Amino acid sequence: MSFEAAVGEADITPVHPPYPSLWMGGYGWSPRGNHGAIARRLRAQCLVLWDGDVPKVLVRADLISIPRDVNQAIRGALVDEGLVADEDLMLLASHTHSGALYGDTRPNPNVMMGLTQADVDAVNGTANLITDALVQLVRDTLELERTPVVLGYAEGEAKIGHNRVADDFAVLDTVPVLRLDTTGGDLFAVVFGAACHPVSRGNDDVFDGEFPAVASELVENALGVPALFVQGACGDQEANDPHSPATTVQLGTVLGQAVVDLLGDDVFDDVTGPVATAMTEVALPFHNDTDDPAVLAAVRAKYELRREVLGPADPNWRHAGLMLEQIDAGELPTSMPMPIQCWRFGGLSVLALAHEPLSSYDVRLRAAFPGTLWVMGYANECEGYVADNETLRSGGDLHSGYEAGWNEGDPTIAGEGSYCISYAWPGPLKFSDTVTPAAGTTERIVMDASLGLLSS
């Protein structure tokens, strides 16, 4: 069965003017802003696949993450206009750490970098322009001429990263590739992925699509068709050292060449329609049950103590102040929402996980699912890390508890310097102190919901 396809592109590199903010996302804990230097422009790409006359819309963008309110705003605009169904729209961030700070919620610009309210207002101004550009990109791509295409899927390999949490944890070297060929036999477009944090450049003030952009450009220059990169479950997957502009080129070249080499081999399996799409949302509870007044009072006391012993220059102090404000206003969150999306083709299932999922989810989902599976991360919205039970229960014993969200032997509040600080959460996600995660804990909830979608 053939589909119809179109690919559109937009430049979303902030330049002042008209963009009011050039603040950058990806690193804490001090202000970091661009001053006009651009290594590779940031872009958004939109692939529309018409299955019959129904569009399936994939948007990928060189963004650090997509906050929940932005995801909802983009969906609201496009769904309300009747352009695409909610479950047929997939938004994907590359997670480049050399792009714009996007939005003012999670991560929180004040907590993460100590930005003033005027700076935060400027960040929102830039976010609004990027959001408008993404919505318009979808509108424009839907109006492009449709090309009949057939799809094929294969997997290559590129060794570009390591597991930063533990030496004996998984390293994901798989390179998923979806090729789109015209019915006349010409290559039309390529969608490819990897699972690796785009931090290869390092913490400087240069805008850069990072190693995914290098790889995409290599594929496009070699083959003359659009190449769209999507990120995998790379919450614990780190780009190889040393982090430098030269490493960005090196790793991107390795990845891009792996895609080109794979496309030159006759190893692709047919991917057919019709496409079944579905989306669900789960609530991931925090480990500490702050619905209990006594527990909430204990948490408040700990954040008050943190404010007493730290100072305003410390992001942990700023985070503690925000937590106290939320407690006193009765607005402290008790769970983190997580959208999970599934597109099931004939011969391939795509599972798109929100947030920063760790590699264990890729490993365990692929082992549990009998078909061919592509696991994507940073999908639709990204507001924190989603660790497996082993990482969560280990806390500060693994990578200082950054991915677990707690350290110092205390899982009742956010660990200092952990992701819970920049993402402005009150504490780690729920885990069980057992090898097999118990019902109602993070890993069980995510795995059960994901496998349920895949089998529905």
Side-chain angles (χ1 to χ4, degrees):
M1 173 185 173
S2 64
F3 299 86
E4 292 179 309
V7 177
E9 182 175 316
D11 188 333
I12 56 169
T13 313
V15 176
H16 181 76
Y19 289 87
S21 164
L22 300 185
W23 290 113
M24 300 178 69
Y27 294 96
W29 302 98
S30 59
R32 172 178 175 245
N34 178 268
H35 301 279
I38 301 170
R40 276 159 286 270
R41 302 194 72 83
L42 309 175
R43 60 179 176 168
Q45 295 159 292
C46 176
L47 167 66
V48 179
L49 274 179
W50 282 272
D51 179 22
D53 202 40
V54 179
K56 314 298 180 185
V57 178
L58 182 152
V59 179
R60 54 81 48 210
D62 292 325
L63 294 169
I64 179 66
S65 59
I66 301 173
R68 182 173 178 82
D69 60 343
V70 174
N71 172 35
Q72 293 175 335
I74 294 172
R75 288 179 178 280
L78 295 171
V79 173
D80 288 350
E81 291 177 26
L83 297 177
V84 62
D86 192 29
E87 63 273 16
D88 293 343
L89 173 64
M90 187 180 294
L91 306 174
L92 302 164
S94 72
H95 200 49
T96 177
H97 281 49
S98 295
L101 183 60
Y102 195 37
D104 68 345
T105 52
R106 305 187 196 279
N108 182 293
N110 175 260
V111 171
M112 185 171 68
M113 298 196 299
L115 297 190
T116 66
Q117 187 57 52
D119 291 329
V120 174
D121 291 343
V123 167
N124 283 329
T126 285
N128 289 338
L129 290 177
I130 293 174
T131 299
D132 290 346
L134 296 178
V135 171
Q136 191 60 45
L137 172 61
V138 174
R139 294 188 186 117
D140 292 344
T141 308
L142 285 165
E143 293 297 322
L144 293 176
E145 180 181 355
R146 305 183 190 184
T147 299
V149 296
V150 294
L151 310 182
Y153 179 80
E155 293 178 352
E157 182 180 85
K159 296 185 181 298
I160 59 174
H162 61 277
N163 195 306
R164 69 187 185 192
V165 171
D167 291 339
D168 58 348
F169 279 21
V171 178
L172 302 183
D173 295 326
T174 301
V175 178
V177 177
L178 181 71
R179 64 182 299 157
L180 291 77
D181 294 280
T182 69
T183 51
D186 297 322
L187 189 64
F188 176 77
V190 178
V191 183
F192 71 100
C196 183
H197 254 71
V199 294
S200 62
R201 182 181 187 91
N203 186 358
D204 62 15
D205 59 4
V206 179
F207 280 142
D208 192 352
E210 257 273 352
F211 76 79
V214 175
S216 294
E217 290 173 5
L218 188 154
V219 175
E220 291 174 342
N221 291 336
L223 303 176
V225 299
L228 292 73
F229 171 86
V230 298
Q231 188 59 264
C234 80
D236 53 355
Q237 306 289 292
E238 183 87 356
N240 285 336
D241 297 323
H243 293 174
S244 69
T247 301
T248 298
V249 174
Q250 176 198 1
L251 300 185
T253 300
V254 170
L255 176 58
Q257 193 60 53
V259 175
V260 171
D261 291 345
L262 186 66
L263 288 165
D265 294 335
D266 186 21
V267 295
F268 283 77
D269 295 324
D270 292 340
V271 174
T272 61
V275 186
T277 60
M279 180 181 286
T280 190
E281 182 170 286
V282 296
L284 303 180
F286 295 116
H287 192 66
N288 216 21
D289 181 13
T290 53
D291 282 333
D292 182 330
V295 172
L296 185 62
V299 168
R300 194 185 194 290
K302 290 181 179 181
Y303 278 123
E304 283 183 330
L305 178 61
R306 193 171 276 183
R307 291 280 286 189
E308 291 174 4
V309 301
L310 302 175
D314 193 317
N316 300 287
W317 182 90
R318 298 192 293 268
H319 174 270
L322 178 60
M323 295 300 101
L324 290 171
E325 290 177 12
Q326 292 180 351
I327 290 170
D328 292 343
E331 298 174 350
L332 192 73
T334 58
S335 64
M336 181 171 78
M338 181 179 184
I340 302 175
Q341 189 172 16
C342 182
W343 286 6
R344 289 188 292 121
F345 298 79
L348 174 66
S349 293
V350 175
L351 188 72
L353 301 176
H355 309 309
E356 303 201 42
L358 268 60
S359 60
S360 54
Y361 287 102
D362 181 288
V363 173
R364 290 168 191 175
L365 286 164
R366 284 163 64 99
F369 181 65
T372 302
L373 179 62
W374 186 345
V375 178
M376 300 175 181
Y378 305 83
N380 298 312
E381 59 193 56
C382 177
E383 298 205 322
Y385 277 75
V386 181
D388 56 273
N389 196 68
E390 181 176 357
T391 301
L392 283 168
R393 71 190 184 103
S394 297
D397 292 340
L398 292 174
H399 200 218
S400 300
Y402 182 80
E403 292 80 8
W406 66 280
N407 47 41
E408 303 296 329
D410 187 358
T412 65
I413 60 172
E416 292 193 21
S418 74
Y419 86 84
C420 285
I421 302 299
S422 59
Y423 278 111
W425 292 116
L429 297 174
K430 190 172 183 179
F431 58 90
S432 60
D433 195 20
T434 55
V435 173
T436 301
T441 58
T442 302
E443 183 179 323
R444 277 286 298 276
I445 292 171
V446 174
M447 289 293 296
D448 289 350
S450 298
L451 292 172
L453 276 183
L454 287 166
S455 62
S456 63

